[in-house]
Amino acid sequence: MSERRACALVGVSRRVIRYEPTRPDDGALRQRLRELAAERRRFGYRRLGYLLAREGIAPNHKKLLRIYREEGLRVRRRGGRKRALGTRRPMVLPDGPNQRWSLDFVSDSLICGRRFRILCVVDDYTRECLALVADTSLSGARVARELTSLMGSRGKPHTVVSDNGTELTSSAILRWSQERRVEWHYIAPGKPMQNGFVESFNGRLRDECLNETLFTSLAHARFVLAAWRHDYNTVRPHSKLGGKTPPRSPANVSGACPRHVAIPSNNHHEGARLYL
C-alpha cells in the first residue's frame, strides 16, 4: 500500500508522518548545569535554574527538568548526621558596620505549651541586634520580607551568613538574594561555630531573657523581646567592645525602653521577671 493511500485511510497528514524533530544543541547548557550541580550538591533543578538565570541562561522549566533528569543530577535523600562536603571559601572578617549580617533561629514556648520561634539578626561588626522577629511560623518568604523591611531602615548588607536550615535554603531566600544582589554565605553543615557571632548572641538571649520570663502570649513575647533588644543595644555593656554598647546610629534609636517589674514566680526560676 502506498503512503498516500495509507495516510488517507488512517486520516493523518503525510506532512505529519514525515516530520522529524530537530532539537538545538544543548551542550553548553548541560555543561554549565553539571558544573553548578557539582558546586551546589543539595540544589534541585529549580534553584539551579535561578543560578542559570543569574548568568543570563533562562531555559523553559520543563526543558530544564528534562535535561536535569537525563544528566542524572537528582538530589539523593540523605540520612544520618550532616557532614560538610567539599571545600568552602573562608569568610573575611568585616571591618565596618552593615557589611555582614548573621541569621539564626531560637525557639521557646508560651505558658500554654505552644511553641514559637524567634528570628535573630545580628551585625557581626558592631554586635548590634538588628531584629528579633517572633512568630509561630517563620517561612523562607517571611524571612525575606523581614530582611527587605530591615534593609529599608538599615541599608543593604554586603553578606548574610546563616546555617543550612530549610527556611534559609528555600527558593524564596535564593530569589531574594539574587534580586537584591546580596551575597549569601552558608556555613558548613554541623559547624555552628562558623556562625559564632549569632550563636554567642543566642546564648545571651536565652540566658538573660528567655529563661527569665514566662510568656503569656505571642504579643507579650514580642513586647518582652523588643524591651530586651533595646536594653541590649543601648544599655548592656559588651565585653568584645571594651564594655561599651554598639555604636549609636539613627536606625537603632527606637524610643524609650519599656518598663518592667520583678514578679516572683513559683513555677520558674527564683527572681524571674515578667515584662509589662
Side-chain angles (χ1 to χ4, degrees):
M1 185 179 295
S2 66
E3 180 186 277
R4 183 188 302 273
R5 185 177 180 185
C7 291
L9 292 175
V10 179
V12 179
S13 172
R14 295 173 63 192
R15 185 163 45 188
V16 174
I17 295 298
R18 295 181 177 182
Y19 174 76
E20 295 182 1
T22 56
R23 290 180 176 176
D25 183 18
D26 299 323
L29 174 60
R30 291 175 181 271
Q31 177 64 24
R32 187 54 184 156
L33 188 62
R34 287 194 298 266
E35 294 175 357
L36 291 175
E39 297 174 3
R40 304 283 187 170
R41 306 189 187 190
R42 305 304 298 175
F43 276 21
Y45 82 98
R46 294 185 185 274
R47 288 193 283 181
L48 291 176
Y50 293 143
L51 298 180
L52 289 173
R54 185 182 301 176
E55 300 176 0
I57 307 174
N60 182 276
H61 69 280
K62 292 181 288 186
K63 177 179 180 180
L64 181 63
L65 177 59
R66 173 177 58 82
I67 297 177
Y68 179 83
R69 289 176 173 174
E70 291 175 355
E71 295 296 326
L73 302 177
R74 182 178 178 181
V75 178
R76 296 184 178 180
R77 190 180 298 273
R78 182 186 297 171
R81 183 174 62 87
K82 291 183 178 180
R83 294 175 175 84
L85 298 177
T87 59
R88 293 173 181 259
R89 177 171 51 87
M91 292 187 301
V92 179
L93 293 177
D95 56 1
N98 218 38
Q99 290 189 2
R100 192 174 73 197
W101 294 356
S102 294
L103 274 65
D104 203 1
F105 289 95
V106 180
S107 63
D108 207 332
S109 61
L110 307 176
I111 58 175
C112 62
R114 187 175 185 182
R115 303 289 296 180
F116 68 94
R117 305 179 73 196
I118 305 169
L119 171 65
C120 306
V121 185
V122 178
D123 189 312
D124 289 355
Y125 180 79
T126 64
R127 305 297 201 275
E128 181 183 0
C129 175
L130 304 181
L132 289 176
V133 182
D135 209 335
T136 54
S137 177
L138 292 171
S139 62
R142 173 68 184 280
V143 174
R145 291 198 302 269
E146 295 294 340
L147 291 177
T148 302
S149 176
L150 191 59
M151 283 174 53
S153 59
R154 308 291 308 195
K156 185 176 72 173
H158 180 269
T159 307
V160 176
V161 184
S162 72
D163 57 17
N164 295 268
T166 55
E167 303 88 354
L168 303 176
T169 57
S170 62
S171 299
I173 291 297
L174 187 64
R175 190 183 308 111
W176 180 89
S177 63
Q178 174 183 344
E179 294 174 352
R180 302 303 190 284
R181 298 186 181 278
V182 175
E183 182 180 353
W184 200 288
H185 180 90
Y186 292 104
I187 65 174
K191 302 291 184 179
M193 286 314 299
Q194 291 184 4
N195 201 12
F197 293 98
V198 73
E199 292 290 343
S200 176
F201 171 82
N202 291 344
R204 294 186 177 93
L205 172 63
R206 184 167 299 280
D207 183 55
E208 299 174 9
C209 180
L210 301 184
N211 291 346
E212 297 294 322
T213 311
L214 295 174
F215 298 112
T216 58
S217 64
L218 186 60
H220 175 229
R222 289 170 176 169
F223 189 84
V224 171
L225 291 171
W228 185 86
R229 173 175 169 265
H230 184 278
D231 181 83
Y232 181 86
N233 289 334
T234 60
V235 179
R236 182 187 184 278
H238 293 245
S239 59
K240 295 297 183 180
L241 300 177
K244 300 179 181 179
T245 57
R248 300 297 300 276
S249 63
N252 72 347
V253 178
S254 57
C257 179
R259 59 187 178 89
H260 62 274
V261 296
I263 297 179
S265 173
N266 295 328
N267 299 326
H268 208 58
H269 300 291
E270 192 68 25
R273 294 195 305 274
L274 194 63
Y275 287 77
L276 301 176

